[in-house]
C-alpha cells in the first residue's frame, strides 16, 4: 500500500487487493480535529455510482469536503469499479470482500477509527450501502441511499439488459435471477433492523435544481423512485427506523445527491 497526500485533509491510498486481483485507490479525509495517534473516530464510508467516473466524483467539487470537515468522522471513499455493484461476483472480482474485509483491516487502524461506522451511496452506491449494511449486521449504525437501486428484481429483464449495455453479464455478478433476493435490498429489509436508514429519490421530472443540470427528464430516476417506494413500504412493514425523502420533481443528477447527503448527515452521524 502506498499513500499520497492530496491536501491538508485528504490522502489517496493505493492498495493492491487480493480480492479484486489488482490495484485500486481509496481516498480518506481526516476530520479537521484529527491528529496523528488520535483514536475513537467514527467512520463514514461513501460509495459511488456506476458507469462513469468513480470514487473521486464524491470529492471533486469540494462540497463533501466542506460538509464533513467539522464532523468527528474519518471519511473513506473507495473505488468500486464502473459496474462493480458492491458484490462478490459469482465469476469475477470480490468487491464486497475488498470493501468490507480488506479495507477496514488496513485503513481503520491507520486513522484511529473506533467501532462506529455509517455508510452512504448514490445510485449503484445506494444499492451497496443498504446491501452491505444488511449482509454485515452490527457493522453500520446508519445507512443512506441517495437515488439508490434498491430493488434489482423489479425488472430483471430490463436491468439485465442495462448491465449488458455496459459490457456486464448479470449472471456473472449475482448468478441466476432466482437467487438475486440474497443481494437485493428490498428483499433484505429484515436484516436492517436496528440500522438508522435514510432513503431519498425524485420522480424523474425536472425539478428546482435542474437549471444547473440541463436535464429535461430522467427515466432512470423515475424507475428508481418506484424501487425506493417498494423498499420503503417493506421497511415500514418490518418496523424499521427509516427517514424517507421522496422530494417529487428531480432528476438522477449530482445537485440532488448533494442536497440529500446534507439532509442525511444528521442521521448518519448524529451529535451524541
Amino acid at each position: 500500500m502506498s499513500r499520497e497526500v492530496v491536501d491538508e485533509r485528504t490522502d489517496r491510498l493505493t492498495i493492491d487487493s487480493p480480492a479484486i486481483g489488482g490495484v485500486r485507490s481509496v481516498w480518506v479525509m481526516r476530520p479537521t480535529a484529527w491528529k496523528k495517534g488520535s483514536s475513537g473516530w467514527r467512520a463514514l464510508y461513501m460509495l459511488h455510482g456506476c458507469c462513469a467516473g468513480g470514487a473521486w466524483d464524491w470529492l471533486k467539487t469540494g462540497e463533501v469536503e466542506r460538509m464533513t470537515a467539522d464532523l468527528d468522522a474519518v471519511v473513506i471513499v473507495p473505488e468500486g469499479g464502473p459496474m462493480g455493484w458492491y458484490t462478490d461476483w459469482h465469476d469475477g472480482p470480490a468487491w464486497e470482500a475488498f470493501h468490507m474485509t480488506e479495507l477496514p483491516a488496513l485503513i481503520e487502524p491507520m486513522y484511529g477509527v473506533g467501532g462506529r461506522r455509517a455508510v452512504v451511496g448514490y445510485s449503484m452506491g445506494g444499492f451497496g450501502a443498504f446491501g452491505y449494511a444488511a449482509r454485515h449486521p452490527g457493522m453500520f449504525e446508519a445507512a443512506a441511499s441517495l437515488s439508490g437501486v434498491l430493488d434489482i428484481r423489479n425488472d430483471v429483464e430490463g436491468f439485465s439488459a442495462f448491465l449488458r449495455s455496459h459490457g456486464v453479464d448479470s449472471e456473472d455478478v449475482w448468478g441466476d435471477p432466482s437467487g438475486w433476493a440474497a443481494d437485493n435490498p428490498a428483499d433484505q429489509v429484515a436484516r436492517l433492523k436496528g440500522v438508522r436508514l435514510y432513503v431519498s429519490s425524485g420522480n424523474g421530472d425536472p425539478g428546482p435544481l435542474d437549471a444547473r443540470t440541463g436535464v429535461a427528464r430522467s427515466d432512470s430516476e423515475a424507475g428508481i423512485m418506484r424501487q425506493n417506494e417498494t423498499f420503503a413500504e417493506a421497511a415500514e412493514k418490518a418496523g424499521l427506523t427509516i427517514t424517507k425523502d421522496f422530494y417529487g420533481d428531480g432528476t438522477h443528477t449530482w445537485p440532488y445527491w448533494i442536497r440529500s447527503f446534507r439532509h442525511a448527515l444528521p442521521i448518519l452521524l448524529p451529535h451524541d
Side-chain angles (χ1 to χ4, degrees):
M1 180 175 64
S2 63
R3 181 171 73 104
E4 171 194 354
V5 177
V6 177
D7 58 39
E8 61 183 11
R9 282 189 60 212
T10 309
D11 296 333
R12 178 183 179 180
L13 307 179
T14 303
I15 297 170
D16 192 352
S17 164
I20 301 302
V23 173
R24 288 294 183 273
S25 293
V26 181
W27 283 265
V28 179
M29 287 190 294
R30 303 175 298 277
T32 301
W34 186 91
K35 295 180 181 178
K36 189 174 182 179
S38 60
S39 61
W41 299 99
R42 292 186 284 185
L44 175 63
Y45 285 80
M46 305 188 72
L47 309 181
H48 65 81
C50 80
C51 311
W56 183 249
D57 283 351
W58 271 119
L59 307 178
K60 63 184 179 183
T61 67
E63 291 185 77
V64 167
E65 183 176 7
R66 288 190 291 274
M67 284 190 281
T68 61
D70 295 326
L71 300 175
D72 63 339
V74 174
V75 180
I76 300 169
V77 192
E79 287 290 355
M83 293 291 284
W85 288 97
Y86 300 100
T87 300
D88 287 347
W89 286 31
H90 281 229
D91 184 12
W95 288 104
E96 186 166 352
F98 175 53
H99 294 138
M100 294 290 95
T101 302
E102 292 179 354
L103 292 190
L106 284 171
I107 293 175
E108 292 186 1
M110 288 177 59
Y111 292 91
V113 171
R116 303 179 64 189
R117 305 174 189 87
V119 60
V120 57
Y122 66 89
S123 194
M124 178 180 79
F127 171 87
F130 280 11
Y132 284 174
R135 294 193 296 275
H136 298 268
M139 185 163 186
F140 296 105
E141 294 182 354
S145 167
L146 320 178
S147 298
V149 179
L150 299 184
D151 187 8
I152 59 175
R153 299 203 303 143
N154 172 262
D155 178 8
V156 169
E157 184 177 339
F159 187 58
S160 296
F162 166 71
L163 265 64
R164 284 196 301 273
S165 73
H166 290 275
V168 172
D169 185 335
S170 62
E171 295 203 15
D172 288 345
V173 185
W174 295 291
D176 186 87
S178 63
W180 286 12
D183 290 286
N184 188 31
D187 288 303
Q188 296 297 320
V189 290
R191 300 181 71 179
L192 289 164
K193 204 165 188 68
V195 180
R196 299 185 303 274
L197 301 175
Y198 171 94
V199 57
S200 67
S201 182
N203 61 22
D205 290 331
L209 306 181
D210 282 299
R212 287 186 279 161
T213 71
V215 176
R217 165 73 182 169
S218 177
D219 291 334
S220 59
E221 186 73 6
I224 282 171
M225 179 68 182
R226 291 190 291 272
Q227 295 186 27
N228 279 234
E229 289 172 334
T230 297
F231 176 88
E233 181 179 354
E236 289 172 338
K237 283 183 178 178
L240 272 60
T241 302
I242 181 170
T243 299
K244 297 183 297 184
D245 186 8
F246 296 154
Y247 44 80
D249 292 348
T251 56
H252 201 65
T253 51
W254 267 106
Y256 296 97
W257 302 332
I258 290 295
R259 184 181 69 182
S260 292
F261 177 58
R262 185 178 294 110
H263 293 167
L265 272 174
I267 295 165
L268 292 165
L269 299 168
H271 295 293
D272 293 333

